[in-house]
Amino acid sequence: MGILIKNGTVVNADGSKKTDVLIDGEKIAKVGDKINATGHTTVDATDLLVMPGGIDVHTHLDMPFGGTVSADDYTTGTQAAAVGGTTMLIDFALQSQGRTMREAYDTWRKKSDNKACIDFSLHMAVTDLGPGDGSQGLREMEEMVAEGVSSFKLFMAYPGVLMIDDGLMFKVMQKAAKLNALCCIHAENGSAIDIVVAQMLAEGKTAPHYHALSRSPKAEAEATHRAIALADMAGAAVYIVHLSNAYALDELKHLQERGAKALAETCTQYLVLSIEDQMPGKSWDEAKFVFTPPLREKWNQKVLWQALTDGSLVVVSTDHCPFRFADQKSLGRGNFSKIPNGGPGVENRLQILWHYGVNGGWFTQEKFVDLCCTAPARVFGMEKQKGSIKEGLDADILIWDPNAEYTISAATQRMATDYSMFEGWTVKGNAAKVISRGELVVDNSTKPGKFLGTTGRGRFVKREANAGGMV
Ligand SMILES: [Zn+2]
């Protein structure tokens, strides 16, 4: 007794085909024509697309930042993801300076215990290697890889909180190279940016608009170059997170052409939002769009879309890091540097990417699946379990209605924020049904926006160390 999805078009990164999919328990048992329906529950997918569930590799649930905590915990965050068609996310465990990675790992596993509603994994953000030569921290990296945490995040921004210096970063990269682990980099020159921030505040430039102006695209480009060059020296594979602008992209492409093992993602917001449209400097409302890197000038959008089509950017994530406008963003009224950095996005990634990417003519439905599902699984060491509609893989399946019109609004979203970055936008293309490890968890066609599974059913996924799929 399984679930048989009939009459749909199965879309994988390498091609589409009108065929059936049989789910047995938690796995995809069979993909093929005319599977006998006897004894199975049938789901009719006529005129619908049957795709792998989305994988968002960059979220921050229940994360302390700037004196508050991100608004979505593992329950609301994973339910919002599922409602939008995402069945797996990779969140960040943050090591506190002076503490161990193990402690950070345990803390984040506790945050997710009995709360996660879809499968998830963790990156480890390294801020400290311990006393002396750092051998304790480097040993811990081995332990983390053994736990299935095969990617390490390094911050080149936020001095005094999360930023590490180049020496520590290089040590981590050398160790990661030995372990085949992937180094994920927040690439911005935090020291230079902090000077600009202080100067702006001293000049009375305190509005949210100045957050964007204080973090130059060149500070991102410089750090992008430095991170990739150091990783190349260390022999490590590197993945630049939330690449936001053309200058940083130039550095990436230049070093990729010279053989560096460098990959990068961009995020939904940089593809469709801009300083001109969202942060022209007119109101406090613009605090809704304070995140890091900030929104860029509009001309960058086209360059990023192009980079997704030519393969220089391989993944689209969200950097979902939600804060409520009313009582959290307000911490930075009168001082943009105190506005909690981040925006809510996990629920809308697929809608935006489909509407502007596929309907907009930038790429095919297969490329959409690659950017949102298959490449994330490959780069982050879980392609044997997730990211494609293939026999033997987890039955994480998104049944997509390319003709469904949906208007995005904070009033109807599952994310726990009091605003949407895309308020009032109508998109064409939305999740109809979402299946997570063989269980129907969302049915937007009959119960829109509701999570139907039990809270806490999500499982931790151990990932392989495969150097971003580049070994
Ligand atoms: Zn982030």
Side-chain angles (χ1 to χ4, degrees):
M1 173 81 188
I3 300 175
L4 180 62
I5 305 170
K6 280 196 89 65
N7 309 320
T9 299
V10 172
V11 185
N12 275 312
D14 58 2
S16 301
K17 190 172 185 261
K18 210 165 174 17
T19 195
D20 300 340
V21 178
L22 178 65
I23 299 167
D24 186 16
E26 300 187 342
K27 302 282 183 191
I28 298 170
K30 198 165 180 198
V31 182
D33 295 342
K34 299 194 177 99
I35 298 173
N36 188 339
T38 314
H40 303 307
T41 308
T42 302
V43 174
D44 181 21
T46 302
D47 297 330
L48 304 176
L49 304 175
V50 182
M51 311 196 280
I55 299 177
D56 191 340
V57 300
H58 190 156
T59 65
H60 300 279
L61 304 177
D62 202 355
M63 185 191 80
F65 189 94
T68 186
V69 178
S70 60
D72 277 313
D73 66 4
Y74 268 79
T75 299
T76 61
T78 55
Q79 291 191 359
V83 164
T86 290
T87 51
M88 163 89 204
L89 30 99
I90 312 183
D91 207 59
F92 290 85
L94 303 188
Q95 181 195 17
S96 302
Q97 283 173 348
R99 306 286 191 156
T100 63
M101 291 176 214
R102 170 64 60 183
E103 201 174 321
Y105 172 84
D106 289 343
T107 301
W108 258 264
R109 289 299 303 270
K110 268 197 207 100
K111 286 175 192 280
S112 56
D113 273 351
N114 305 314
K115 286 192 143 186
C117 299
I118 57 167
D119 291 352
F120 68 100
S121 186
L122 291 169
H123 310 281
M124 178 57 61
V126 179
T127 60
D128 193 349
L129 288 177
D133 63 357
S135 54
Q136 176 197 315
L138 297 173
R139 259 197 319 276
E140 276 206 291
M141 286 176 67
E142 293 173 22
E143 281 179 42
M144 289 301 117
V145 169
E147 295 283 8
V149 177
S150 57
S151 44
F152 296 91
K153 170 91 173 274
L154 300 166
F155 285 91
M156 299 170 83
Y158 307 124
V161 190
L162 294 166
M163 189 172 103
I164 57 169
D165 66 25
D166 292 349
L168 196 147
M169 182 159 72
F170 187 65
K171 270 190 187 172
V172 171
M173 287 170 163
Q174 284 184 321
K175 185 67 178 181
K178 287 202 183 98
L179 295 169
N180 273 334
L182 186 62
C183 296
C184 301
I185 312 289
H186 177 133
E188 279 188 305
N189 188 316
S191 306
I193 287 169
D194 267 17
I195 291 169
V196 178
V197 168
Q199 289 167 344
M200 282 184 164
L201 292 173
E203 290 166 19
K205 295 172 174 168
T206 59
H209 173 65
Y210 293 102
H211 169 82
L213 300 191
S214 70
R215 310 185 81 92
S216 166
K218 286 160 196 173
E220 185 184 344
E222 183 281 324
T224 300
H225 182 96
R226 183 160 33 110
I228 299 173
L230 289 173
D232 201 21
M233 267 175 76
V238 71
Y239 177 93
I240 306 296
V241 302
H242 49 42
L243 190 142
S244 74
N245 77 84
Y247 297 102
L249 182 69
D250 283 345
E251 300 296 339
L252 170 76
K253 287 170 89 161
H254 172 70
L255 293 168
Q256 281 175 334
E257 278 160 20
R258 295 190 168 207
K261 286 192 281 184
L263 302 171
E265 66 178 19
T266 189
C267 306
T268 327
Q269 53 271 29
Y270 305 115
L271 292 164
V272 293
L273 308 177
S274 66
I275 293 187
E276 291 95 320
D277 290 342
Q278 275 71 36
M279 303 198 86
K282 296 196 172 127
S283 72
W284 164 247
D285 246 43
E286 294 170 23
K288 292 172 181 171
F289 302 97
V290 167
F291 38 74
T292 302
L295 289 178
R296 303 301 190 184
E297 290 175 9
K298 200 165 183 167
W299 63 271
N300 289 279
Q301 293 173 0
K302 211 170 159 185
V303 178
L304 295 177
W305 283 111
Q306 184 61 43
L308 292 172
T309 66
D310 72 22
S312 33
L313 297 175
V314 289
V315 167
V316 179
S317 72
T318 60
D319 195 7
H320 176 77
C321 189
F323 295 102
R324 291 178 302 276
F325 181 65
D327 63 323
Q328 294 189 296
K329 291 284 185 182
S330 54
L331 294 169
R333 250 195 194 276
N335 180 344
F336 71 80
S337 74
K338 301 261 190 279
I339 301 171
N341 279 208
V346 74
E347 191 168 336
N348 307 120
R349 179 180 64 132
L350 301 178
Q351 295 159 348
I352 298 282
L353 253 280
W354 183 272
H355 185 77
Y356 292 94
V358 180
N359 297 345
W362 280 108
F363 43 69
T364 61
Q365 60 194 22
E366 292 82 9
K367 182 69 179 178
F368 169 86
V369 166
D370 193 35
L371 292 167
C372 298
C373 322
T374 312
R378 180 182 69 248
V379 170
F380 289 95
M382 48 184 171
E383 65 182 331
K384 290 173 195 155
Q385 196 179 340
K386 309 267 187 198
S388 300
I389 304 282
K390 261 194 339 204
E391 290 172 18
L393 267 58
D394 284 355
D396 283 3
I397 295 176
L398 167 58
I399 302 180
W400 185 259
D401 184 349
N403 296 310
E405 291 210 348
Y406 179 75
T407 300
I408 300 171
S409 173
T412 47
Q413 73 187 7
R414 185 70 193 89
M415 297 182 288
T417 49
D418 52 358
Y419 75 97
S420 165
M421 297 196 289
F422 316 107
E423 183 67 38
W425 292 23
T426 297
V427 290
K428 191 173 165 199
N430 195 18
K433 291 182 169 59
V434 182
I435 294 168
S436 165
R437 265 189 292 99
E439 185 183 348
L440 181 75
V441 292
V442 173
D443 190 346
N444 282 330
S445 50
T446 58
K447 293 174 185 133
K450 292 261 181 313
F451 183 78
L452 309 174
T454 49
T455 298
R457 61 174 292 289
R459 278 192 211 139
F460 180 76
V461 174
K462 289 189 168 198
R463 297 179 291 112
E464 277 182 78
N466 69 346
M470 293 184 284
V471 279

